[in-house]
Amino acid sequence: MTNLHSFFITTFGCQMNVYDSNLIASMLEGAGLAQAANAEEADIILINTCSVRGGAEDRAYARIAGMRQYKKKKKHLVIVVVGCMAQNHKEHIFDELEHVNYVIGPDNYNRLTDVLLGDEYSGKHSLTEQGGHNNYTGQAAKLDNTISVNIAIMRGCNKKCAYCIVPSVRGKEESRSPEDIYKEIQGAVNQGIPEVVLLGQTVNSYNYHGHRFAALLRDINNIRGLKRIRFTSPHPKHCNDELIQVMTDCSNVCNHLHLPVQSGSNAILKKMRRLYTREEYITFIQNLRASIPRLGLTTDIITGFVGESQKDFEDTLSLVQEVRFDSAFMFSYSPREGTPAYSEKETLSEIEKGARLRQLITLQNTISAEKVREMIGMQETILLEGPSRQNKEELIGKTSCFKKVVVPGSKNLNPGELIKVKLVDVKGNTLIGNSIIASDN
Ligand code: 5AD
Ligand code: SF4
């Protein structure tokens, strides 16, 4: 298939999908293809999809349907659906989207170049066999920016949360070897990348033949030239004193935890099969904050899960008030076929679910704004990312606790540097800082 020279990837979903798209880009470039700047120019279009909520799938279907026009204009165009929805819907995707050529699930990306460039797979194919995370090829993902690189350290999920499609589409947990992880990080650091975000569906259950998450973090903390380490998303069940100790000890590990709580009601947490209680969650956060006073804490919350009573919902509101998250991703429960909760009849209408979600968002928005304001007057170190979108004369950066800060630009300040700033004001939820000194050179 010599008329295939370039590819374009569009990505839905979480950071793992962003990472996988970069991994695919690196594989395809390795096979001699060039990454196109837009879909119109490409010979191959890949759509990396998400299945976590119904809305994510609907958006992917709509986007792919819209690609019929490209295929009319360019007969040799190859359209490939990858990611979680590819795994979830398999060859059924061809029923509605007849212009799609291939459907390839996350465990089969190692076969992508053969599928696209070999002779074996002419016609339509779906490759969705599961088992063995074949993405651990030792290949590094393509860098998509100069500040922060995502790196998968584990894949899959062994939990059985009743609402969640991830265990079925992403398979069993498998940790990647520390050597491969260090190699990929070192490669990024050698190119001047200051920050790494370690990824895993339950990142803190990392366990490579007894080498666990805390030990891995300590080792990564020693990589010279790496300035900041973040990770997402941990599971509360695997949060312990060792994690607190390692976050306290390791100066490059950021003071930020994104710890999905999902609900403040013990009855709902149990129904969700989350494996912890409200009290256990709160106690862990109290202990962590005792060691790291300036911790940034963010979370995920689902409202309107099956059986959620008004009292259960109020327990979520009271947890949000008690814990005071810096920010939260908040979702209305979306039943997913193939999950344990799917067979249970929903107890709330879409209108009731929507009303609860809005009430929760209003509460959290107030707290988020207060938490940002509380930082005025403090001194913080920020990692400069680049010019602010609103005003090119200003630079934007983030604190260790994951707050956005803008500072006046100056020729002494460069993206990728850590600088000390005094936080003087806030606009929207972005802090305004005055730079004090460049602290890493
Ligand atoms: N409905 C709504 N939200 C969900 N999430 C996962 N599954 C569902 C679902 N079926 C949310 C959880 C998770 C985040 C990635 O998406 O809050 O932490
Ligand atoms: Fe990521 Fe889960 Fe969505 Fe897959 S289903 S893209 S793992 S959030």
Side-chain angles (χ1 to χ4, degrees), residues 328 330 358 360-370 429:
M330 294 160 280
R358 280 194 301 280
L360 178 67
I361 290 174
T362 304
L363 171 63
Q364 179 55 48
N365 283 351
T366 308
I367 296 170
S368 297
E370 286 168 2
N429 274 352

Side-chain angles (χ1 to χ4, degrees), residues 52-53 163 262 300 302 331-334 336:
V52 80
R53 282 169 293 277
Y163 51 80
Q262 312 300 2
D300 294 343
I302 300 175
F331 311 102
S332 181
Y333 170 60
S334 166
R336 310 304 297 131

Side-chain angles (χ1 to χ4, degrees), residues 14 50-54 161-166 201 233 258-262 272 274 299-303 305 329-337 339 341 353:
C14 64
C50 172
S51 279
V52 80
R53 282 169 293 277
C161 297
Y163 51 80
C164 190
I165 192 80
V166 171
Q201 260 84 33
S233 288
H258 179 78
L259 191 62
V261 66
Q262 312 300 2
M272 286 178 162
R274 286 293 289 172
T299 197
D300 294 343
I301 302 173
I302 300 175
T303 57
F305 186 60
F329 294 113
M330 294 160 280
F331 311 102
S332 181
Y333 170 60
S334 166
R336 310 304 297 131
E337 197 171 349
T339 60
K353 287 198 308 194

Side-chain angles (χ1 to χ4, degrees), residues 11-18 48-53 56 83-85 106 164-167 169-170 201:
T11 308
F12 293 84
C14 64
Q15 278 156 291
M16 187 63 86
N17 266 14
V18 174
N48 196 354
T49 56
C50 172
S51 279
V52 80
R53 282 169 293 277
C84 298
M85 194 180 82
C164 190
I165 192 80
V166 171
V169 293
R170 287 281 181 170
Q201 260 84 33

